[in-house]
Amino acid sequence: MTVLTTEEVMDSTVTDIKKEASIRLAHQKKSLWKTIARNEIRIRTSSFRNHRMLFFIALYSLLIIWAVVIAPYLFDLFMPTLAEQFSDVFKPVIAITIESIMMMLFLVLVIYPLNNIYKEEEIGSKEILLATPVRANDIFLGEFLGKAPMYSVAILIITPIIVGLINPIINLTVFQYLIIYGIVFGHVYFANLIGSIVGSWIEHKISKNEKARDLGKALVWVFTILLVVIMYAIMFFLNYLLEHPELKNWLAFYPSLWFSNIILYSIDPVLINTFILNIWINVLLAVGIPIITLYLSYRKAESFYTLEGGVEKSSITIIEHENPFYKLVRKISGRKWGGLIVIQLKRFFRKKANIARVAYVVGLLGFMSWFISRMVEDEAMIVFSSTILIAIGGGIGSIIVGHLAFIDSKDLIWVYKRSPRGIKAIVYSYLLMMLIFNIFLTIFVTTMLTIFSDIDLFNTVIFFVEFLIFAEISMCQAMGLQCISPAFGEKDSSMKGNTMISMLLLQPLMFLPISLLIFINPGSVELMRVVIQAPLFLYNIGVSLPLLYFGMKKLNRLE
Amino acid sequence: MSKAYAIKTQNLTKNFGELLAVNKIDLTIPYGKTYGLLGPNGAGKTTTVRMLNAIISKTSGNASVGGYDIVAESQKVKMICGFLPEAPGLYSKLTAKEFLEFIGELYYLQKSVISARIDELIELFNLEGRENDLLEGYSRGMKQKVCLCAALIQDPEIIFLDEPTSNLDPAAARMVKDLISQLVKKAEKTIFICTHLLDTAEELCDIIGIIIDGEIKVEGTPKEIIESVGARDLEEAYLKITGASHIDDLLGWREENPNNNHNESKKNKNKKNKRSR
Ligand SMILES: Nc1ncnc2c1ncn2[C@@H]1O[C@H](COP(=O)(O)OP(=O)(O)O)[C@@H](O)[C@H]1O
Ligand SMILES: [Mg+2]
């Protein structure tokens, strides 16, 4: 240890320091948000820390080449032909495509900053920041603007696509180019702003205790899934939306629509005729709301950049006489499994985050059944739409709640492994617990379907059985996946990974019914049911059961 | 408020909703002293230093740090104080040098001053050669060193250290304690240490205040504290004061029954174990 330099380092007297500090404070001209913003950029480009300049020059050159040369060329290859071929529906299709792109972009950008909340590191560094003279509003502005280079990348990637879509319809003038770029710019930054505000707010207002943190985590995660679901929904119902553009009005206050409507208006004013807000209100909202939001959040930054609402542990004592439901479960499932299932149920439902997830599944499925029921017009449609509901709905539950078997800890596995019943006990009891869950879910979905469409009893029963079986098979798939890569302690990476793989595996299911109908034209409704459902079930079984088998083998070898 | 003291508080209080975290604390700490706020987890130490550094607001009472009011002149307070948080989060994707530059700029220091300061601190803390590595690769002890550097970057007059050694292994804790005692040697620095570790407090501090449930129970030099409760060492004094209700009885009972050797020896054995650790 070099003691020598201590004297030098600490060599200043009290009065000197004070005088010097006051002078510095008095002469501060530099706004600290610039420092914060630069730091933000440094953090995000740390992999290139030795060649940051070069990195940015290369990145932006590439993006500009994409925007000016590659994208226009690519779109010129096929867009004019498409425009000619489908000239009658071309405009509305383009309109809806642009709308969905911007909707998705908005969601992604709002959710992205949320992924960073609840990281201990971030809370700790906030404390260091708050101890320095920097003001909260400078931190807020700096962190917001520091993301600018990253968000500019999104703008430069997306906008040429939108331009490429529009170009065959009208030859854009320079002014229109500017408007489109400006709108995407405003849209992206507004989304970023909302994301930052919501993130900070959740972190500092809702994070008072562990339970809330749990809930917050689930929320973020649920948003991510919502994104994917909306994407699928739009893909599926593109046609439907084309015929009923007024459905969009349900989303009048979804901000991305204000922005996309301006673009649509510049293509053809007719396109937003059915929308309840006219162009001027759209412009007003698109310009005014972001500015007001930015101003208010800058002024109010103090209130969400604090440590006042830090982390606090809470404990809950549950003293309960086992409720009748658990007693019933015990009775029905018998000596061998009853106890284990009840334990799984308690473990699952005492976690607030899981309840949020379940509520989310129920809400989503309720919405889907309502939406799909509206399409039911004849026998064939009943089969077709109930198949889609089975394929998507049956899978969604497993994606959202199927991956939570091992999240408590690795120790749980040892407990079961040591016991004579082995690993099977935990896997099967979770699956049985999920079966109970699925039964309730299926009852709910079936009820929704019967309420909103005039499906007959025969089809109702068939739907019930099929939905339940499908949901449980999907559960096996989720179980198999997490046996292979268990998410102990809610390990972020493996939970996200498993969910992604689950969704990928379910992906073909969404397209199977549709594509089969394109190639095969079954004579009767019953034949149609077999044709589109048999492959669906066979595929799901073929994927899920082997996964479960190998997963359990792997889990048995866990060390 | 008085400028004669580095830190002075009157009835400083903090409520989190219903919870009374800090209750009417009165501190008077002269310049150049090392003060140790000693207390069990959840006693309100962190809350107190956060208030003194104007990181969170006070509920009531008054406090001045370096002669500046913590509310009205919070900017000035922050300028002259260095603060090492309890669980500091370093930006893992920055290098040590970048991190220190960043913190330096937040104190409105000039570029040239910052880089000179960083060179000095890096040498002092033996971080040469690693200053351009990302912080994510640093060990706990090294991270703590970097945080200490950050707390010292603007050459603060008053330094607050919240649990500086608690999360470290013994070797790293030793090293950090050595570094702190180096700082202590320079008489002008006022240092405020929060800790629940007796040895840290005893070794480094001139004055110790024992805080329990948000209230300062005893204050004085280690020697005074030991004498005031008639204990043999600081550990016993601490146990007596913190566990006043039940441990007092326990100890009292032990003293009244010196014949009960079984318990006596057990107690001593525990103590010995603790020390040898
Ligand atoms: N941000 C907060 N919100 C609510 N309660 C808090 C917060 N921070 C601390 N507390 C509570 O205040 C009390 C004192 O905490 P703290 O000052 O961290 O104790 P110490 O640092 O002495 O361990 C504890 O009961 C703690 O739960
Ligand atoms: Mg503390």
Side-chain angles (χ1 to χ4, degrees), chain A residues 208 307-310 312, chain B residues 16 19 21 40-47 86:
Chain A
K208 284 252 157 68
L307 290 173
E308 310 264 348
E312 186 195 332
Chain B
F16 289 109
L19 187 107
N41 287 319
K45 305 181 293 293
T46 302
T47 309
E86 185 173 15

Side-chain angles (χ1 to χ4, degrees), chain A residues 144-160:
Chain A
F144 172 62
L145 293 178
K147 293 181 200 134
M150 271 42 86
Y151 285 90
S152 305
V153 171
I155 295 170
L156 282 173
I157 291 176
I158 300 284
T159 323

